[in-house]
């Protein structure tokens, strides 16, 4: 039996390990032969010689360089050396572990849980795990990650912030500790130096004077470097610059870094400063991505503009500012409008949304979509509401909205004129004239409406007002000629016919009841009517009715003579007029208006122009 030297329990002779505790058992072996012993001694001497050579080389070599990247140690403490530009400690600075410390720099990415990245902020680690960030660059994110130039990625979950302070100190995740400079309060009587985080630029020691003091920070404006960087005193960090993210230098007057404690979490900061407002809705809309339906995205953005903003303009991340959101909405609205979703675009882009978006082109798109689906009248209502509300943009923006509205009214008035809707045309023109009293085309439309009513006096008054631009000159000239013609034709019966005709066709009313086709014939002495017309009028024709021989193209015929109560032509009535009842050969349905009718008028015939004018005597 073999007894275990560790636990003392017996084991089988053939066992190599203890069946109770697993320890290796003592096994007896044969004594080595003399040659084998000699070889072992030689090997031992060789090993000792090699070891001595290694020690000698090590003593003569320069100090070892620590490996780059994170090296986990006991207690999950991480020692880091930056792979990017570093600031080595000056001789007066205290050394970090293993020699002079190097500044650990990197970037904090502020993002939303939807995946939207809102900011990348240059940063550096002080006092092992603290990072200073300008507050206005942190709004909107609930996922913060520090990534060093050396590739280390650590979450930022909590920090120290006082409401109203422009800068907050945030702590890396629990268990992380990075070698680097410590954070100490700034001493006004001691000069400071400055080092850039973005380049090799540095500035020598100088005294700084605070222009504003807060609870834990002092602010400096004069001579502030334009790059992100750090202020130092005696090898310790005492302040920061943040480049374009915050244009003032920030000096720390709070407790030393080792005495700092967390008092706010990142998610709490998000809820306090950002949640449930317009900007958060924008983030969700942006997070949908381009693959989401355009209508859903436009709806989400519109809903955002119906909420109150949580942030001021200078606090709002660039991607969430209204000018960028409005630009995205313009593209979505145009795509939807072109695909036939005009109603949805109009319903979403209400004046309330447009006032908040403050984008003239988006307002113009809303007016056009409304006109396309709801018609010109509804679009005019919207345009007037937009123009009479808060100004959307300035300069070109207002001009754009007015241009779209003006074109809308012009087309609306033209359409009503074409449809012979005089009342509708006048109503639209009245509204257009109120918005655009000096517009020449809208004035010419008023001329057209006046001429439709043959009101040449109003037309001429309008035409004699301010001139028209060259592109409207031909149109104005045509209206002028038309107005002159109406003036000449006033009080006359005007009949237009095909130029070159010898006999001019007209339609007249007999005895106030029967419409009859006639030819004006200056060679006929009397009016003639067809026998069918006499029958319809109920005229009594018998042996007592006077008869006369009448010469026609087919020869002489006997025609009965009747007296008509009246013939009315274009509003002009001739009463008690004699007529022959006669069916003209080849045209039995046609009557003739002869000289006994025409003698009541001054007759002007222009066969070339095809115009007959009868002016009552």
């Amino acid at each position: 039996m073999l007894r275990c030297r560790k636990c003392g329990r017996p084991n089988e002779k053939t066992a190599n390990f203890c069946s109770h505790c697993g320890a290796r058992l003592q096994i007896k072996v044969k004594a080595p032969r003399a040659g084998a012993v000699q070889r072992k001694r030689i090997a031992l001497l060789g090993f000792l010689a090699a070891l001595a050579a290694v020690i000698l080389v090590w003593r003569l070599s320069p100090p070892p360089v620590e490996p780059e990247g994170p090296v986990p140690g006991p207690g999950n403490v991480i020692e880091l050396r930056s792979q990017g530009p570093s600031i080595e400690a000056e001789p007066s600075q205290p050394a970090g572990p293993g020699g002079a410390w190097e500044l650990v720099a990197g970037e904090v990415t502020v993002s939303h849980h939807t995946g939207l990245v809102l900011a990348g902020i240059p940063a550096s680690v002080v006092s092992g795990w603290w990072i200073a960030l300008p507050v206005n660059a942190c709004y909107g994110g609930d996922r913060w990650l520090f990534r060093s130039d050396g590739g280390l990625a650590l979450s930022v979950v909590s920090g120290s912030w006082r409401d109203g302070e422009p800068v907050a100190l945030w702590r890396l995740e629990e268990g992380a500790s990075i070698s680097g400079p410590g954070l100490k309060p700034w001493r006004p009587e001691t000069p400071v130096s400055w080092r850039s985080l973005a380049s090799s630029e540095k500035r020598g020691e100088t005294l700084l004077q605070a222009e504003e003091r807060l609870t834990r920070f002092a602010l400096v404006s004069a001579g502030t470097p334009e790059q992100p960087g750090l202020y130092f005193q005696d090898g310790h960090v005492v302040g920061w610059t943040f480049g374009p993210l915050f244009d003032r230098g920030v000096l720390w007057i709070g407790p030393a870094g080792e005495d700092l404690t967390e008092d706010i979490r990142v998610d709490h900061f998000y809820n306090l400063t950002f949640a449930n407002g317009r900007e958060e809705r924008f983030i969700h809309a942006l997070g949908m991505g381009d693959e989401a339906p355009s209508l859903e995205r436009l709806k989400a953005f519109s809903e955002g503009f119906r909420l109150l903003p949580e942030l001021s303009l200078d606090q709002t991340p660039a991607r969430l500012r209204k000018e960028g959101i409005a630009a995205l909405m313009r593209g979505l609205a145009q795509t939807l409008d072109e695909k036939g979703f005009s109603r949805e675009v109009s319903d979403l882009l209400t004046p309330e949304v447009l006032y908040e978006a403050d984008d003239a082109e988006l307002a113009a798109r809303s007016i056009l979509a409304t006109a396309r689906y709801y018609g010109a009248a509804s679009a005019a209502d919207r345009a007037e509401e937009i123009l009479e509300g808060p100004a959307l943009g300035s300069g070109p923006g207002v001009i754009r909205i007015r241009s779209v509205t003006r074109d809308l009214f012009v087309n609306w008035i033209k359409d009503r004129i074409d449809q012979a809707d005089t009342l509708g045309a006048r109503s639209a023109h009245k509204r257009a004239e109120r918005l655009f009293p000096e517009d020449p085309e809208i004035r010419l439309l008023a001329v057209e409406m006046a001429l439709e009513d043959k009101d040449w006096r109003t037309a001429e008054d309008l035409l004699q007002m301010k001139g028209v631009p060259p592109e409207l000159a031909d149109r104005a000239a045509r209206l002028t000629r038309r107005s002159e013609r109406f003036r000449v034709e006033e009080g006359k019966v005007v009949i237009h016919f095909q130029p070159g005709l010898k006999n001019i066709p007209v339609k007249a009313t007999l005895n106030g009841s029967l419409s009859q086709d006639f030819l004006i014939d200056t060679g006929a002495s009397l009016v003639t009517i067809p026998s069918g017309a006499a029958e319809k009028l109920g005229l009594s024709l018998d042996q007592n009715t006077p008869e006369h021989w009448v010469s026609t193209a087919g020869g002489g015929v006997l025609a009965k003579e009747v007296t008509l109560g009246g013939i009315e032509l274009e509003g002009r009535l001739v009463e008690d007029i004699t007529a022959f009842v006669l069916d003209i050969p080849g045209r039995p349905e046609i009557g003739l208006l002869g000289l006994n009718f025409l003698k009541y008028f001054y007759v002007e015939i222009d066969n070339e122009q095809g115009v007959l004018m009868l002016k009552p005597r």
Side-chain angles (χ1 to χ4, degrees), residues 297-467:
R297 297 180 67 201
L298 183 62
K299 181 180 179 181
F301 285 128
S302 299
E303 288 173 351
F305 276 121
R306 290 188 176 94
L307 298 174
L308 292 175
E310 287 290 324
L311 306 176
S312 64
L313 178 61
D314 60 339
Q315 294 172 335
T316 306
R319 295 193 65 181
L320 303 182
R321 293 186 178 179
K322 63 182 180 182
E323 56 268 23
I325 298 299
L328 291 173
M329 293 174 70
R330 288 200 305 268
L332 293 170
Q334 180 174 352
T335 298
L336 289 166
D337 197 12
E338 291 172 351
K339 290 183 177 180
F341 291 90
S342 301
R343 178 180 65 82
E344 290 79 0
V345 171
S346 176
D347 292 348
L348 290 174
L349 300 184
T350 62
E352 174 194 5
V353 170
L354 297 172
Y355 295 149
E356 294 298 323
D358 193 20
D359 185 273
E361 192 61 40
L362 191 63
R365 177 59 56 186
S366 171
I367 295 170
L368 293 172
T370 302
R372 186 169 286 116
Y373 185 81
Y374 290 107
S378 295
D381 292 341
R382 173 155 299 183
E384 287 176 333
E385 186 174 356
I386 291 171
L387 287 172
E388 293 170 358
L392 300 183
S394 60
V398 175
I399 293 173
R400 170 62 173 154
I401 298 175
R402 288 183 62 83
S403 175
V404 169
T405 303
R406 176 224 173 253
D407 292 345
L408 167 71
F409 273 106
V410 166
N411 293 329
W412 184 19
I413 297 168
K414 286 180 178 179
D415 177 69
R416 293 299 86 203
I417 291 175
D418 292 343
Q419 298 297 322
D421 180 8
T422 303
L423 185 61
R426 292 192 180 282
S427 175
H429 183 270
K430 184 177 180 180
R431 295 171 64 177
E433 193 174 35
R434 183 175 63 85
L435 292 172
F436 309 99
E438 303 297 325
D439 188 276
E441 187 170 10
I442 291 175
R443 178 160 48 89
L444 291 182
L445 287 170
V447 173
E448 288 192 34
M449 289 187 292
L451 294 178
E452 288 296 316
D453 293 337
K454 298 183 180 180
D455 183 3
W456 59 269
R457 291 179 177 83
T458 298
E460 286 191 353
D461 289 342
L462 291 170
L463 287 166
Q464 290 171 5
M465 293 173 66
K466 294 180 181 179

Side-chain angles (χ1 to χ4, degrees), residues 130 156-160 169-172 262-266:
W130 293 100
V156 179
V157 295
S158 60
S160 179
L169 288 168
W170 298 95
R171 195 189 190 287
L172 298 178
E262 308 100 303
D263 51 40
I264 189 171
R265 292 179 56 84
V266 166

Side-chain angles (χ1 to χ4, degrees), residues 198-227:
S199 69
S200 60
E201 183 181 348
K202 62 182 179 178
R203 295 188 182 183
E205 293 188 338
T206 184
L207 286 173
L208 294 181
Q209 185 171 356
E211 299 171 2
E212 182 181 355
R213 282 179 174 266
L214 306 174
T215 304
R216 301 187 302 172
F217 295 97
L219 305 182
V220 180
S221 294
T224 302
E226 297 181 354
Q227 299 182 26

